[in-house]
Amino acid sequence: MAAPLPVNILCGYLGAGKTTLLNRLLERQDERILVMVNDFGDIAVDAALVSRRSADTIQLSNGCICCSMAGGLFDAFERALDLRGRVDRLIVEASGVAEPRRLAGIALAEPDLDCRAIVAVADPQSLAERLADPRIGGVAESQVRGADMVFLSRGDIASRAALRRTARLVAGINPLASLHMALDSGLLKALRAPHDARSFSALAPHRDHRHLFASRTITLASPPDRQRLLGIMARHTQSIHRLKGYVRLPDLPRPHLLQLAGGMLSLEPAEAPDASFLNRLVAISPDKHALVNLVAELEQVRA
């Protein structure tokens, strides 16, 4: 009989830095990791890590596999177990508005899964603001409260004062969770530890938080002027929690991936999956009016 498959649940609010941590874990060569995400449209692994794809799995260039949850949560876990002989660990990347309770409950109840540490990712530059937000503060707090370990992203650019404040904030919410600021041996050891049911029992009942966020897919009518595009995005770094899309810019020879997360904007060379992805942006915000304003401004962008 095969041993149970170790599973970690990775959660965190939109823009917290889950993608960065996940990609860094995938870059390690000592484990074959199966990644489960909500669906391929919102896949969190960098395009450079993708090698080939089938109907419900993506083979990553480092030998790891990505599995979609689009067909349903239970179906996705079944597919994960079917791949057990090919992988060493399952990491479930929850959506930015997800609380870990339901996913942990399934992992704890399934004898073929071994529920290890639940990881909450938080950005020391935005956690306090997210917790104070009356629309999503409860979700962010629940993610930290239900975690076995909390990873502070962007620790290399956050000030020491911000890191200390965030550490105190996390300890006040969840004194049982270990705190990590780097992908080191301490984090990897904590990742392998069994889930502590004490934090799980403290969680509030599962709720549906999809109504807290609005999303828009924005199609740019023509290749945008780079400076105008970046200028518009810079004005929306606080109101838009997450934005991602591939753009073809007239002054650059190849497509670029535009991302906004945690108030930080980036534009980097990247190959789009196919031409239909070019000049299409997906934006998410708790403020639907902010999305309307962003769309109105982007519609005026021309090369």
Side-chain angles (χ1 to χ4, degrees):
M1 180 178 294
L5 178 64
V7 53
N8 295 106
I9 295 168
L10 181 63
C11 63
Y13 54 88
L14 291 164
K18 298 189 297 297
T19 295
T20 300
L21 177 59
L22 178 59
N23 285 338
R24 291 178 63 190
L25 287 169
L26 289 173
E27 288 166 0
R28 297 178 57 85
Q29 300 299 316
D30 56 346
E31 274 192 315
R32 300 169 299 171
I33 297 175
L34 170 62
V35 180
M36 188 184 295
V37 295
N38 285 337
D39 70 63
F40 292 134
D42 298 320
I43 191 168
V45 292
D46 286 343
L49 290 173
V50 176
S51 175
R52 56 188 172 84
R53 64 196 293 171
S54 63
D56 55 11
T57 62
I58 291 179
Q59 181 72 41
L60 303 175
S61 59
N62 62 354
C64 296
I65 296 170
C66 184
C67 177
S68 169
M69 293 202 304
L73 185 57
F74 289 96
D75 289 343
F77 274 114
E78 287 295 325
R79 291 198 301 276
L81 290 173
D82 288 341
L83 295 166
R84 195 172 4 171
R86 299 170 56 189
V87 299
D88 302 308
R89 176 179 305 276
L90 168 64
I91 295 181
V92 179
E93 187 192 11
S95 72
V97 296
E99 297 173 356
R101 179 181 180 91
R102 184 180 179 214
L103 295 172
I106 294 174
L108 287 166
E110 172 53 64
D112 288 326
L113 292 174
D114 180 8
C115 189
R116 302 293 178 91
I118 293 176
V119 186
V121 181
D123 178 2
Q125 300 178 108
S126 63
L127 178 60
E129 180 182 351
R130 296 293 185 263
L131 289 170
D133 190 321
R135 294 164 295 192
I136 63 168
V139 178
E141 180 177 346
S142 178
Q143 290 169 345
V144 173
R145 190 180 301 279
D148 299 290
M149 53 186 288
V150 177
F151 178 76
L152 299 186
S153 63
R154 306 181 179 96
D156 56 335
I157 60 174
S159 67
R160 291 185 179 181
L163 290 171
R164 287 195 296 268
R165 285 195 302 269
T166 307
R168 290 195 296 268
L169 193 58
V170 168
I173 296 172
N174 185 351
L176 299 176
S178 60
L179 189 66
H180 305 268
M181 303 182 193
L183 204 168
D184 53 18
S185 59
L187 182 145
L188 295 174
K189 181 179 179 180
L191 198 67
R192 298 185 181 102
H195 171 57
D196 187 344
R198 290 178 295 175
S199 60
F200 176 67
S201 63
L203 286 170
H206 173 75
R207 294 166 290 171
D208 185 351
H209 297 285
R210 288 173 295 179
H211 67 282
L212 294 176
F213 286 86
S215 66
R216 291 286 295 269
T217 297
I218 306 164
T219 300
L220 302 175
S222 63
D225 174 81
R226 176 169 39 156
Q227 294 305 319
R228 287 193 63 193
L229 175 65
L230 293 178
I232 290 172
M233 294 312 310
R235 292 194 292 273
H236 290 271
T237 54
Q238 299 306 311
S239 60
I240 304 300
H241 286 200
R242 189 75 171 96
L243 178 139
K244 185 174 184 178
Y246 296 91
V247 293
R248 169 76 76 176
L249 301 171
D251 58 336
L252 295 173
R254 52 183 296 199
H256 278 56
L257 177 62
L258 177 67
Q259 292 198 81
L260 173 61
M264 300 190 65
L265 185 63
S266 66
L267 182 67
E268 300 176 344
E271 293 299 326
D274 59 62
S276 67
F277 283 77
L278 287 173
N279 292 337
R280 296 183 66 201
L281 308 173
V282 177
I284 302 173
S285 173
D287 184 352
K288 62 181 181 181
H289 299 294
L291 289 173
V292 171
N293 293 335
L294 175 64
V295 171
E297 290 189 52
L298 288 175
E299 285 179 346
Q300 302 304 314
V301 176
R302 294 292 187 271

